[in-house]
Amino acid sequence: MSPNGGANGFGAIFSMNLDGSGYTRNYDFDNTNGATPYGSLMQASNGKLYGMTSGGGSYGYGVLFSFDPSSNTFSKLVDFNRSNGSESAGSLMQATNGKLYGMNWDGGHMVLVLFSALTFLRILIPIFLILMTTMAIYLMVLRSYRCLMVSFME
């Protein structure tokens, strides 16, 4: 992928032979379906390539997309809307449970958003926010316990 250039100036997906010959621009980002892709494409077990953009999409915060190299078909799967993440700059990975996992630089209630994508349902589940909420509750309990210990010892 290229984060800039392409027919619309918002980046492109390209392919070429291992020796550098046969360069083909397969898809041009158009801002509506994402802009400025960063990171790498990841090939999932279904043969499709998955990636993210740091901008564009319905809300301007980037998208999660798939690209089928056998048919040159691009599909926007998720629009990042800041509450579910924004400004992707990394790559996705597929875990043994078949889900895709990735991170965004910004969005949600915290600074980073770790998410799991159920691509067949086009659902994005922010995991990091759930973990941070659990951690905040734990810290509140720990802080209360510590306050009790301090007042008990005085």
Side-chain angles (χ1 to χ4, degrees), residues 4-137:
N4 299 305
N8 305 308
F10 295 109
I13 297 173
F14 62 90
S15 63
M16 67 181 176
N17 297 321
L18 292 176
D19 66 3
S21 65
Y23 174 87
T24 304
R25 202 171 63 225
N26 301 90
Y27 181 78
D28 294 299
F29 290 96
D30 60 6
N31 201 41
T32 302
N33 289 314
T36 321
Y38 282 106
S40 300
L41 291 171
M42 187 278 303
Q43 187 167 26
S45 57
N46 63 3
K48 293 182 181 179
L49 304 174
Y50 291 87
M52 299 180 289
T53 67
S54 64
S58 297
Y59 307 101
Y61 296 112
V63 303
L64 172 68
F65 66 87
S66 70
F67 181 78
D68 188 339
S70 65
S71 63
N72 275 354
T73 304
F74 177 92
S75 297
K76 179 172 66 168
L77 302 174
V78 175
D79 283 287
F80 293 116
N81 62 18
R82 193 154 168 86
S83 66
N84 67 2
S86 69
E87 301 176 30
S88 302
S91 302
L92 298 164
M93 58 90 55
Q94 185 174 29
T96 56
N97 64 4
K99 294 180 185 178
L100 301 179
Y101 291 85
M103 285 180 43
N104 296 100
W105 281 108
D106 194 14
H109 304 296
M110 307 298 170
V111 176
L112 293 172
V113 177
L114 172 66
F115 63 84
S116 166
L118 302 173
T119 56
F120 62 94
L121 294 176
R122 296 185 183 200
I123 295 173
L124 197 72
I125 302 167
I127 295 172
F128 190 72
L129 297 177
I130 294 167
L131 292 175
M132 289 305 292
T133 303
T134 304
M135 190 165 155
I137 291 169

